[in-house]
Amino acid sequence: SDASYPLVLLVFSKDDSQSNGFLWACERAGFSCSIARTPETALQCFLEKHHDIIIIDHRHSRYFDAEVLCGYVQRGSSAPVPGCGDRYVENPHMMSCYNELIQLEYGEVHAQFQLRACNAIFTAMEQSQEAIEITNEDQLIQYVNPAYEAIMGYQQGELLGKEGVEVPKSEKNKPDLLETINSCIRNGKEWQGVYFAKKKNGDSVQQNVKIMPVIGQGGKIRHYVSINRPLNDINKVNFSSKHKDRRKGSLDVRSTTSRGSDGSSQRRHSSMARIHSMTIEAPITKVINIINAAQESSPMPVAEALDRVLEILRTTELYSPQLGTKDEDPHTNDLVGGLMMDGLRRLSGNEYIFATKQPHHIPGHLGTPLSLSDIPQYVARTMENEESWDFDIFSLEAATIRRPLVYLGLKVFSRFGVCEFLHCSESTLRAWLQAIEANYHSSNSYHNSTHAADVLHATAYFLSKEHVKQSLDPVDEVAALIAATVHDVDHPGRTNSFLCNAGSELAILYNDTAVLESHHAALAFQITTRDDKCNIFKNMERTEYRTLRQAIIDMVLATEMTKHFEHVNKFVNSINKPLAALEETGVKEESVKSILTSPENRILIKRMLIKCADVSNPCRPLQLCIEWAGRISEEYFAQTDEEKRQGLPVVMPVFDRNTCSIPKSQISFIDYFITDMFDAWDAFADLPNLMQHLDNNFKYWKNLDERKLRSLRPPME
């Protein structure tokens, strides 16, 4: 059967709510489903089609014995059949049936598909032009393909069973290279770089080598796979592979051995290397890669002309990727549908109009602006480590009675000299912070002023990183801090898709395009300019104000998710890759500075900065990450509840409070949106603590999800 669409056999003696639940679940999941009423027809049907999942009704034993039938099925199959032998407690709820099928598909069924594909995989390796070697965990050679034997000069089967140490080593490698490679792969990381191998006749051949550890039973390394290609043939091979899970290693096209021995350097180059094999590659990226390859063997005039071509391509709007999620899990599909679509899945005639809402004025008890000197000691104590990434925003939320934005804003803006840049008084800044915070909805579980304060904190942290400081001017820093503060002001706790489906006044006003982000930016300037007491821009020169305003608007609009991959792709191709190329060739500092400070690249850096700050929750310490995950899930649950009440399309069906798996939603969000973006940002800004938190948090959600799966398999009565 097609690995994308498992075949399901339902063995039910009669129709009821349980069988209908599984039928609906199969239809929704896109699985092909057959129904059998008797043991005889079930066995006959199975022998004809060899279904991937079999569900047998064991509630009515007078019709047939499910365990006996299961035994017959297993004897008639060449491999274990998922679902046949496991127990499932009666639960006709459609989403429960759906979740059970999805768990089987992503667990045992996929494993069976992989086993069945082994013959095809070995056939492909036998025909491959790349030299492939597979060893066990003790580096005992278990397989080499014909290409490997031909390149290295060995007879068929001559290398099998030999230990790695028995194969001659070339003296042309650096003395510590082999030790470095072994240290890398034994820690579960991929290694890629240039290596001299010794052929049987004693000649050395320079190869581009990629070695991948393979994790097996018990989470331990069971094999190592090595793919080799002689260096003079390297332009004919593409070592790119799908990067779905950063925890399974890096694709280090810049050999960690060529850099310093410190862990931070290796980790940064590991992040940089993954950028070269991202799955978000757009057509224009492929064009750029082809041009880059052509430049290497072109005469100087041609290479210079291609440089001009690349410069033009990198400054045009050609970076939107082609998104395809049909093979993703339902959580990813719903996240993409809910966060990246414009809500066109609407029902005609259904409208839900948000009341026209005037901006909040500052409540009476906030009428007297606070000063830094007025901040209570217990609040000041919670902000003592606000320059640290591990700063606890929830402690500040509690200490300030859910008004963290004013207090944190005062301290951060003071540290960056915002008042001096804007030529405004501290009292004006204080009044502005209070007005902005008053327009965040404290009733939202996630999109409230605590989230704004958290994004402001992350923005300030990123602004302190060396590459970022080298790139941005004071006007950029001030724009980033203001944009972070206002980026979700007056957020209704619903997504753009919801507003478009509901026909809200905001969606109509902004033509269903970047609805919330346009509203946040526009309202922020309305609040600021309507009252001199909080107008932080009133003393700015007109041209300077227009520059600052444009930068703020651009950054707020960059938080809209429909262009997520476009922003990341442009950052990688315009900044990450050129910087890495310069680093390899050891060029002068002026060339690096020209990349960092060009007007186009400064815009890309600011967009990437606020995007990463906005969704940095998975990179926070575990307890903060868990709290944020609960808050965003609750907000999505509330949206799903309201969509059902209003008869609107449910844009994220997996966020049903009765059936949702928060661990699965976090795993999907990290895999699809976070990993590639933070790999790119880490390669630029050097963020070892964030990446460590990201790894730890992903493992936490994975373990939690696996424990939950195990607990969801009680016996079927």
Side-chain angles (χ1 to χ4, degrees):
S1 64
D2 187 336
S4 299
Y5 302 99
L7 294 177
V8 179
L9 174 61
L10 300 181
V11 186
F12 282 76
S13 59
K14 58 183 179 180
D15 283 334
D16 62 6
S17 59
Q18 184 68 73
S19 64
N20 290 336
F22 278 116
L23 274 173
W24 177 91
C26 289
E27 183 178 347
R28 174 170 179 186
F31 297 171
S32 178
C33 181
S34 304
I35 301 177
R37 300 298 182 197
T38 67
E40 294 76 19
T41 55
L43 190 57
Q44 181 182 356
C45 188
F46 172 75
L47 292 175
E48 289 175 359
K49 298 186 177 180
H50 287 276
H51 300 79
D52 304 301
I53 299 172
I54 301 178
I55 299 172
I56 305 172
D57 185 4
H58 191 43
R59 295 168 300 169
H60 310 294
S61 56
R62 65 181 180 275
Y63 294 109
F64 49 75
D65 190 318
E67 292 185 358
V68 172
L69 178 57
C70 185
Y72 279 124
V73 166
Q74 294 288 22
R75 284 195 291 276
S77 173
S78 59
V81 181
C84 192
D86 293 339
R87 301 299 180 105
Y88 175 79
V89 173
E90 180 177 7
N91 185 347
H93 192 282
M94 291 179 174
M95 284 307 299
S96 178
C97 298
Y98 175 75
N99 286 336
E100 182 70 18
L101 287 181
I102 295 301
Q103 288 166 18
L104 285 169
E105 183 198 12
Y106 282 90
E108 300 168 58
V109 173
H110 277 190
Q112 290 297 327
F113 287 152
Q114 289 174 332
L115 285 173
R116 294 172 196 171
C118 282
N119 286 336
I121 291 169
F122 275 99
T123 301
M125 289 195 294
E126 291 285 305
Q127 300 300 319
S128 174
Q129 294 181 6
E130 282 91 10
I132 301 171
E133 176 193 57
I134 300 176
T135 66
N136 65 7
E137 65 267 37
D138 299 320
Q139 297 192 358
L140 194 73
I141 297 174
Q142 297 189 324
Y143 172 83
V144 292
N145 69 340
Y148 186 99
E149 292 170 331
I151 291 171
M152 301 305 294
Y154 287 93
Q155 297 297 316
Q156 182 177 3
E158 189 175 352
L159 286 169
L160 296 184
K162 288 185 179 292
E163 293 187 24
V165 294
E166 298 179 52
V167 180
K169 303 293 185 294
S170 173
E171 299 78 18
K172 293 188 177 183
N173 294 308
K174 292 181 180 179
D176 61 346
L177 178 56
L178 199 57
E179 183 181 341
T180 303
I181 295 173
N182 286 332
S183 174
C184 179
I185 62 177
R186 283 170 182 163
N187 286 324
K189 299 176 182 176
E190 293 178 2
W191 182 89
Q192 182 168 329
V194 175
Y195 178 81
F196 284 92
K198 181 172 282 191
K199 300 168 69 173
K200 185 179 179 181
N201 64 9
D203 294 342
S204 291
V205 55
Q206 192 178 23
Q207 297 181 329
N208 190 298
V209 178
K210 176 179 172 183
I211 305 174
M212 297 155 288
V214 180
I215 308 300
Q217 189 175 7
K220 295 181 179 180
I221 296 172
R222 300 298 182 184
H223 294 91
Y224 298 100
V225 177
S226 173
I227 303 175
N228 316 315
R229 171 60 69 95
L231 201 59
N232 58 9
D233 204 19
I234 194 61
N235 287 330
K236 298 179 185 176
V237 63
N238 173 17
F239 282 116
S240 174
S241 67
K242 279 201 171 186
H243 170 56
K244 293 305 294 178
D245 184 344
R246 69 181 306 277
R247 286 134 299 272
K248 293 180 182 174
S250 64
L251 299 174
D252 199 342
V253 297
R254 295 201 205 303
S255 177
T256 55
T257 62
S258 63
R259 304 295 174 216
S261 59
D262 64 293
S264 174
S265 174
Q266 290 193 19
R267 178 199 48 73
R268 283 191 63 206
H269 288 283
S270 175
S271 289
M272 185 62 235
R274 280 189 292 272
I275 287 160
H276 291 257
S277 57
M278 286 184 176
T279 57
I280 59 173
E281 189 171 61
I284 188 62
T285 314
K286 297 176 183 177
V287 172
I288 289 174
N289 289 338
I290 293 169
I291 294 173
N292 279 327
Q295 277 186 303
E296 295 178 7
S297 56
S298 298
M300 185 58 67
V302 176
E304 290 176 351
L306 292 176
D307 267 335
R308 291 194 294 275
V309 171
L310 290 173
E311 186 177 344
I312 294 169
L313 291 175
R314 285 179 174 136
T315 56
T316 55
E317 297 301 318
L318 300 171
Y319 288 81
S320 295
Q322 298 165 328
L323 298 178
T325 65
K326 65 180 182 180
D327 294 327
E328 301 289 349
D329 65 275
H331 294 80
T332 302
N333 276 322
D334 282 5
L335 285 167
V336 171
L339 299 177
M340 300 189 69
M341 304 302 177
D342 62 0
L344 293 179
R345 294 178 287 178
R346 56 174 63 88
L347 300 177
S348 58
N350 285 319
E351 290 191 347
Y352 179 80
I353 306 297
F354 279 87
T356 304
K357 178 175 172 295
Q358 296 299 318
H360 290 304
H361 294 279
I362 303 172
H365 68 283
L366 296 180
T368 304
L370 292 161
S371 167
L372 268 175
S373 57
D374 297 332
I375 294 177
Q377 280 193 351
Y378 66 90
V379 173
R381 279 196 297 272
T382 64
M383 294 194 294
E384 284 176 351
N385 71 328
E386 58 89 12
E387 294 185 41
S388 163
W389 180 253
D390 293 349
F391 171 66
D392 186 353
I393 193 69
F394 299 117
S395 294
L396 181 62
E397 178 190 62
T400 59
I401 317 175
R402 306 191 73 176
R403 287 191 293 135
L405 187 57
V406 169
Y407 292 96
L408 186 65
L410 282 171
K411 188 165 185 184
V412 170
F413 278 49
S414 173
R415 175 153 62 90
F416 281 86
V418 173
C419 286
E420 292 82 353
F421 179 87
L422 297 174
H423 310 295
C424 76
S425 64
E426 187 187 273
S427 61
T428 303
L429 174 63
R430 294 192 307 261
W432 178 78
L433 284 167
Q434 289 174 319
I436 294 296
E437 183 154 39
N439 281 275
Y440 275 93
H441 299 198
S442 60
S443 57
N444 291 344
S445 60
Y446 183 87
H447 287 101
N448 49 42
S449 68
T450 303
H451 167 66
D454 185 63
V455 175
L456 173 61
H457 171 264
T459 298
Y461 182 83
F462 294 152
L463 289 173
S464 69
K465 308 309 288 185
E466 194 57 40
H467 256 173
V468 179
K469 288 195 291 187
Q470 291 175 14
S471 308
L472 303 184
D473 292 337
V475 65
D476 299 314
E477 293 183 348
V478 172
L481 295 170
I482 293 174
T485 304
V486 306
H487 82 283
D488 272 333
V489 67
D490 196 39
H491 197 294
R494 300 291 182 266
T495 63
N496 279 332
S497 294
F498 178 94
L499 299 184
C500 294
N501 285 333
S504 75
E505 291 185 357
L506 285 180
I508 293 170
L509 177 63
Y510 293 110
N511 300 313
D512 290 352
T513 305
V515 175
L516 284 171
E517 293 72 24
S518 299
H519 175 59
H520 302 321
L523 182 64
F525 282 96
Q526 290 172 4
I527 293 170
T528 306
T529 58
R530 73 178 178 212
D531 187 348
D532 259 15
K533 290 180 181 179
C534 66
N535 188 353
I536 55 176
F537 307 129
K538 62 185 176 184
N539 295 325
M540 294 188 73
E541 187 269 331
R542 182 184 298 274
T543 304
E544 195 175 39
Y545 167 67
R546 290 296 301 275
T547 301
L548 179 65
R549 170 175 157 80
Q550 190 56 50
I552 294 168
I553 293 171
D554 185 81
M555 291 184 75
V556 173
L557 293 181
T559 64
E560 197 248 340
M561 292 299 287
T562 61
K563 292 190 175 182
H564 169 81
F565 292 106
E566 178 181 338
H567 291 318
V568 175
N569 231 344
K570 291 189 76 171
F571 183 86
V572 168
N573 285 283
S574 299
I575 297 172
N576 283 138
K577 290 185 178 181
L579 284 177
L582 289 178
E583 187 177 349
E584 279 194 333
T585 55
V587 297
K588 295 181 180 178
E589 189 176 328
E590 292 77 19
S591 301
V592 175
K593 188 175 181 181
S594 67
I595 292 175
L596 294 178
T597 59
S598 74
E600 298 88 355
N601 285 351
R602 280 166 50 206
I603 291 173
L604 298 181
I605 290 167
K606 287 183 289 184
R607 290 174 180 171
M608 192 71 160
L609 186 152
I610 196 166
K611 280 180 63 59
C612 289
D614 189 28
V615 293
S616 64
N617 307 153
C619 299
R620 292 290 188 180
L622 179 59
Q623 290 309 312
L624 305 185
C625 170
I626 293 171
E627 176 66 20
W628 283 123
R631 291 188 177 203
I632 190 63
S633 298
E634 176 54 41
E635 200 164 285
Y636 288 161
F637 294 159
Q639 174 170 311
T640 299
D641 292 343
E642 184 162 2
E643 285 165 336
K644 291 178 178 178
R645 285 197 303 271
Q646 298 292 334
L648 296 171
V650 177
V651 296
M652 293 187 286
V654 296
F655 284 98
D656 183 313
R657 67 175 68 252
N658 298 314
T659 58
C660 180
S661 166
I662 292 179
K664 282 189 185 297
S665 69
Q666 287 296 300
I667 290 166
S668 298
F669 183 65
I670 291 171
D671 265 343
Y672 201 78
F673 292 105
I674 298 300
T675 297
D676 286 339
M677 181 168 72
F678 272 91
D679 274 336
W681 187 234
D682 169 50
F684 175 75
D686 190 18
L687 305 161
N689 48 344
L690 276 74
M691 303 310 283
Q692 186 60 54
H693 284 317
L694 180 58
D695 278 338
N696 293 341
N697 294 341
F698 184 89
K699 290 173 184 173
Y700 168 81
W701 293 120
K702 274 281 193 184
N703 291 335
L704 195 63
D705 181 48
E706 288 166 3
R707 290 201 302 271
K708 185 175 180 182
L709 284 179
R710 287 195 293 269
S711 70
L712 287 176
R713 299 190 181 278
M716 185 174 184
E717 297 299 328

